[in-house]
Amino acid sequence: METELSQRLGIEHPIFGFTPFPAVAAAISKAGGLGVLGAVRYGAVDDLARDLDWLDAHTGGRPYGLDVVMPAKKVDGVSVADIEAMIPEGHRQFVRDTLAQHAVPELPPGEESGWRITGWMEQVARSQLDVAFDHPVKLFANALGSPPPDVTQRAHDNGALVAALAGSARHARRHQEAGIDIVVAQGYEAGGHTGEITTMVLTPEVVAAVAPLPVLAAGGIGSGEQIAAGLALGAQGVWLGSIWLTTREAELNSPALTRRLLAAGSGDTVRSRALTGKPARQLRTRWTEAWDDPASPDPLPMPLQGLLVAEAVSRIQKYEVEPLLGTPVGQIVGRLNSERPVQAVFDDLVRGFERAITRVNRIAGREGGRPR
């Protein structure tokens, strides 16, 4: 399983694994793919620096990447406190009422929310990059379109490639014009922020729109056969996220959430603005249902919604309140049926790819890749 992009990055297989967990990222890289650590959950740059140091020591010299979230346009002089002051009291009361309905306990005195998405703030993302550029990061990915031009230039100056997610061919062309190296075509099936075009339709559209720029197929991919389909559509690799959530290296620290993921089917997710303010695919819960009820207040725009619900999410997670307990995850959740090491998942992906290629060769009247 080799493409021009995998050769360029020095990886065995063009499998790019996005994860918030350093141990998962390291295992993906060691298995022959490229682990990409999500930075958005790091409110303190010291924590990110610690985990990047850990990755350096545990990837065996294999390349890895970092995913940040920052807008293309810079806004100066706006603090987290300034933005939190914009949250209406009615929305705060709705959160309090929803938690009270489900008897969610308060956090212990003095304990701060452990779920803060200040990583959505540009100044936080820039401080994360200041740390990251001190490490041998080979790929920087941005989940909110093209990063600011100075960030792209800085990455290139440090010998790193830059990727950006796109939900349409129009977005992809903007990335190409901005000097991005790789476009991640993320379809409707994907977990987290995603658009409305399915992966099967989106991938070839983006490939055609930005050729010869390399494209990664993303969204609903969790088997080697699906990887083969993505490459057949013109992608030079795949971007996988949800498939790693139930690996043994994942640090969910929630038996209840793991049980929910293992029990969920492909129809048990929903695109909702309840978590961040932008449509994001996640497990369907009483929390998403409460926010999506027409009688409820509309979710706030990003980043207000994320700041509004941060403490609530921490309380739900800490006390494992199952009716409200969810996480961003794609429709591929239906394939998450057991807890396995990353290497086992990776081996299955490679075997599935080989099965698909063998099947296609047989259909085409070829054996060993050559016509009979």
Side-chain angles (χ1 to χ4, degrees):
M1 199 192 306
E2 188 175 71
T3 65
E4 291 180 11
L5 182 59
S6 65
Q7 292 175 340
R8 185 176 179 184
L9 283 164
I11 56 178
E12 186 177 354
H13 302 295
I15 297 175
F16 295 70
F18 167 80
T19 174
F21 307 120
V24 176
I28 293 168
S29 290
K30 290 174 71 174
L34 193 135
V36 182
L37 179 65
V40 71
R41 71 187 183 97
Y42 291 93
V45 292
D46 289 346
D47 292 339
L48 177 60
R50 177 203 63 214
D51 283 352
L52 291 176
D53 286 339
W54 187 92
L55 275 171
D56 293 342
H58 291 82
T59 50
R62 300 290 185 93
Y64 66 87
L66 186 72
D67 180 276
V68 297
V69 179
M70 62 190 312
K73 295 181 180 179
K74 183 176 181 179
V75 179
D76 293 316
V78 179
S79 68
V80 174
D82 293 333
I83 293 180
E84 286 190 325
M86 302 176 189
I87 297 173
E89 177 56 30
H91 282 71
R92 295 186 187 277
Q93 188 61 50
F94 177 76
V95 169
R96 290 192 288 266
D97 291 344
T98 303
L99 295 176
Q101 289 169 11
H102 294 273
V104 181
E106 297 277 353
L107 293 175
E111 181 174 327
E112 295 184 357
S113 167
W115 192 89
R116 297 290 289 176
I117 57 169
T118 52
W120 300 115
M121 305 290 295
E122 184 194 353
Q123 61 266 38
V124 176
R126 283 185 175 274
S127 66
Q128 292 170 343
L129 288 170
D130 288 339
V131 168
F133 283 124
D134 290 332
H135 295 264
V137 179
K138 295 301 182 184
L139 175 73
F140 288 94
N142 189 39
L144 278 185
S146 304
D150 67 296
V151 171
T152 299
Q153 185 61 54
R154 190 175 177 189
H156 289 162
D157 291 344
N158 280 268
L161 300 181
V162 178
L165 276 63
S168 70
R170 176 169 53 88
H171 293 155
R173 281 190 288 266
R174 288 179 184 170
H175 296 337
Q176 186 178 39
E177 293 166 359
I180 299 304
D181 304 294
I182 303 168
V183 175
V184 182
Q186 180 166 280
Y188 172 81
E189 304 93 326
H193 297 128
T194 184
E196 299 183 353
I197 305 174
T198 65
T199 303
M200 182 65 73
V201 173
L202 179 65
T203 301
E205 284 187 353
V206 171
V207 168
V210 301
L213 209 63
V215 172
L216 302 180
I221 299 175
S223 72
E225 288 84 354
Q226 291 169 312
I227 292 174
L231 299 185
L233 293 171
Q236 286 199 35
V238 292
W239 178 274
L240 310 182
S242 300
I243 197 70
W244 316 110
L245 283 173
T246 55
T247 57
R248 290 179 185 166
E249 293 88 346
E251 303 161 28
L252 285 179
N253 298 322
S254 173
L257 180 55
T258 299
R259 287 196 301 271
R260 291 212 64 207
L261 288 168
L262 293 175
S266 57
D268 292 326
T269 69
V270 62
R271 286 173 76 246
S272 171
R273 294 172 55 209
L275 192 60
T276 69
K278 292 186 68 175
R281 186 171 298 285
Q282 55 203 278
L283 281 178
R284 181 183 287 107
T285 66
R286 296 287 180 82
W287 179 258
T288 63
E289 290 172 355
W291 278 101
D292 294 340
D293 189 319
S296 301
D298 288 335
L300 299 169
M302 180 187 284
L304 295 179
Q305 183 72 12
L307 294 171
L308 167 66
V309 305
E311 181 181 328
V313 172
S314 285
R315 289 165 60 184
I316 292 166
Q317 291 177 346
K318 179 179 181 66
Y319 299 108
E320 296 192 299
V321 184
E322 292 204 35
L324 304 178
L325 188 62
T327 186
V329 68
Q331 291 180 331
I332 201 65
V333 68
R335 292 187 65 92
L336 306 184
N337 300 316
S338 63
E339 294 182 72
R340 299 183 295 163
V342 166
Q343 184 66 60
V345 174
F346 212 94
D347 290 344
D348 273 356
L349 294 174
V350 174
R351 284 193 293 266
F353 176 83
E354 292 170 347
R355 286 194 300 269
I357 296 303
T358 299
R359 186 181 304 120
V360 170
N361 280 333
R362 185 169 60 248
I363 292 170
R366 294 180 174 89
E367 292 180 359
R370 295 182 178 181
R372 287 200 297 262

